[in-house]
Amino acid sequence: MMKQKIRYSLRRLAGPVVLGVVLASLAGCKHRHGDDRQADGSYGSYPPPPAPVVVPAPMKFSMRGKVGQGNIAYEHSLALRVSADKVGAHLATLRDYCLAQQGCELVSASEDAEDQNEGSDNRSARLSARLPHDKVEDFLKIAAAPLAGETAGAVVTQRLRTSERDLNSEVTDVDRRLAQMTAYRDRLEVLEAQSAGKTDDLIKVAKELSEAQSTLESALKEKKDLSRQVDTEEVDVTYSSARENLGPLRQRWKDSGALFSETLADLWDFLIQAVVWAPLVVIGLLIVRRAIRRGWFSRT
């Protein structure tokens, strides 16, 4: 009778033991994946994005009053937000427009893409160009214009900034150095002609003349760069992808794909762990069964 009671008790315990192993395996998987989600934010409700800075229409392309007057260098920075799949198209359109315009110098153009969670991505593009004063406003309007198939509100102006730098002191300084070096070079050329018959003097004058010419060319290059900054304006346009703002129901529906994938991953982890633990559980149950049959648990 005692032997039957022990056997019956072990049979009742076998089911809970196996069930406990299963639950422990699943709990470990869920705990691990839960930590991963907290660490990398793989899915869940995102906080709403900040409200876009919409520049009022009258201020969008207001230009400075005295364009091209004085030694002033103008720089413009325009930040726009468009849909992620249109970032490259906007960049290509603005680049082609610059290359087709006479006087537009393309300084640089680049596009970046960063993979985000749930298959979404964050895209951005940047273009820098130099244009004559009278072509800047049209260039900015083309940059902020919607493409074919886009609505009027598809392109949001987030920032438009214009800065001025007074280069008058730099221009005055380089003009003064140019005048001095030009006069010095001319005097050296006269001395070089007078020292034609004297080898030592000719060598010294030729050396001084070479150094003066190098300094003069460096000043001329600096003058050319300053003139370029005064005669043209630098425009920097940045496109960034708009962040999707989903409602709670749509967000949960979007999260369901990631949740389903993680559930399958949990099931796969459990199967892997079951392959490892199942033989040990079976061997343990067989040992207990054999012990019952041999009466190891019976009272003598």
Side-chain angles (χ1 to χ4, degrees), residues 172-219:
T172 302
D173 178 69
V174 73
D175 286 341
R176 177 182 54 81
R177 288 189 284 114
L178 279 173
Q180 292 177 349
M181 293 308 301
T182 301
Y184 183 55
R185 183 198 60 183
D186 294 341
R187 291 196 298 268
L188 289 174
E189 289 178 348
V190 173
L191 289 176
E192 184 181 32
Q194 296 175 354
S195 304
K198 302 178 181 179
T199 305
D200 294 340
D201 294 341
L202 183 60
I203 293 175
K204 293 179 181 180
V205 172
K207 182 179 179 181
E208 288 292 328
L209 184 60
S210 175
E211 293 178 357
Q213 185 64 33
S214 298
T215 306
L216 183 61
E217 290 177 357
S218 177

Side-chain angles (χ1 to χ4, degrees), residues 9 13 25 38 41-42 57 60 71 96 159-160 171 181 197 214 218 252 254 277-278 281 284 297:
S9 300
L13 289 175
S25 301
Q38 294 177 1
S42 59
K60 280 189 177 181
N71 297 315
D96 295 342
R159 185 186 69 253
L160 174 59
V171 173
M181 293 308 301
S214 298
S218 177
R252 293 301 185 273
K254 188 175 181 180
W277 287 102
V281 174
F297 301 104

Side-chain angles (χ1 to χ4, degrees), residues 2-297:
M2 181 62 63
K3 184 176 181 181
Q4 292 178 354
K5 287 183 178 182
I6 294 175
R7 183 179 302 172
Y8 178 72
S9 300
L10 290 176
R11 288 178 179 177
R12 292 183 60 186
L13 289 175
V17 168
V18 176
L19 180 60
V21 173
V22 172
L23 293 177
S25 301
L26 291 177
C29 295
K30 296 300 291 182
H31 177 72
R32 176 176 55 81
H33 287 291
D35 293 341
D36 294 340
R37 287 195 296 269
Q38 294 177 1
D40 59 14
S42 59
Y43 69 87
S45 299
Y46 293 104
V53 181
V54 181
V55 180
M59 297 177 57
K60 280 189 177 181
F61 303 108
S62 59
M63 307 302 291
R64 57 260 169 246
K66 297 181 180 181
V67 58
Q69 296 186 7
N71 297 315
I72 305 297
Y74 294 98
E75 297 178 359
H76 308 277
S77 177
L78 177 62
L80 302 167
R81 195 180 69 183
V82 298
S83 59
D85 58 338
K86 295 294 184 180
V87 171
H90 277 278
L91 175 64
T93 300
L94 189 61
R95 181 193 59 210
D96 295 342
Y97 175 81
C98 178
L99 295 176
Q101 293 296 312
Q102 184 177 4
C104 182
E105 177 187 353
L106 182 63
V107 178
S108 63
S110 61
E111 181 180 1
D112 298 322
E114 180 182 359
D115 291 335
Q116 298 292 320
N117 302 316
E118 304 175 15
S120 61
D121 58 356
N122 181 26
R123 294 182 178 274
S124 63
R126 181 177 180 180
L127 185 142
S128 295
R130 279 199 164 274
L131 301 101
H133 301 294
D134 58 344
K135 294 186 177 181
V136 172
E137 188 170 2
D138 291 338
F139 185 83
L140 292 175
K141 288 181 178 180
I142 292 296
L147 300 177
E150 286 186 323
T151 60
V155 181
V156 178
T157 303
Q158 293 183 301
R159 185 186 69 253
L160 174 59
R161 181 176 57 202
T162 299
S163 60
E164 302 177 2
R165 290 188 299 118
D166 189 355
L167 302 178
N168 187 64
S169 59
E170 288 86 343
V171 173
T172 302
D173 178 69
V174 73
D175 286 341
R176 177 182 54 81
R177 288 189 284 114
L178 279 173
Q180 292 177 349
M181 293 308 301
T182 301
Y184 183 55
R185 183 198 60 183
D186 294 341
R187 291 196 298 268
L188 289 174
E189 289 178 348
V190 173
L191 289 176
E192 184 181 32
Q194 296 175 354
S195 304
K198 302 178 181 179
T199 305
D200 294 340
D201 294 341
L202 183 60
I203 293 175
K204 293 179 181 180
V205 172
K207 182 179 179 181
E208 288 292 328
L209 184 60
S210 175
E211 293 178 357
Q213 185 64 33
S214 298
T215 306
L216 183 61
E217 290 177 357
S218 177
L220 287 171
K221 183 178 180 181
E222 185 177 352
K223 172 67 174 180
K224 182 179 180 180
D225 182 65
L226 290 173
S227 298
R228 174 173 172 266
Q229 296 183 51
V230 173
D231 296 338
T232 60
E233 302 182 22
E234 182 178 355
V235 181
D236 188 11
V237 179
T238 302
Y239 294 101
S240 59
S241 58
R243 187 172 184 180
E244 190 176 11
N245 187 14
L246 302 177
L249 183 59
R250 293 182 61 192
Q251 184 66 58
R252 293 301 185 273
W253 176 258
K254 188 175 181 180
D255 294 342
S256 62
L259 183 60
F260 179 72
S261 299
E262 287 209 6
T263 303
L264 291 180
D266 292 337
L267 179 59
W268 178 254
D269 288 340
F270 164 71
L271 293 177
I272 295 299
Q273 295 185 29
V275 170
V276 177
W277 287 102
L280 298 179
V281 174
V282 172
I283 292 174
L285 292 176
L286 291 176
I287 293 175
V288 172
R289 183 181 178 184
R290 187 172 183 179
I292 293 173
R293 288 183 175 181
R294 293 194 174 187
W296 291 355
F297 301 104

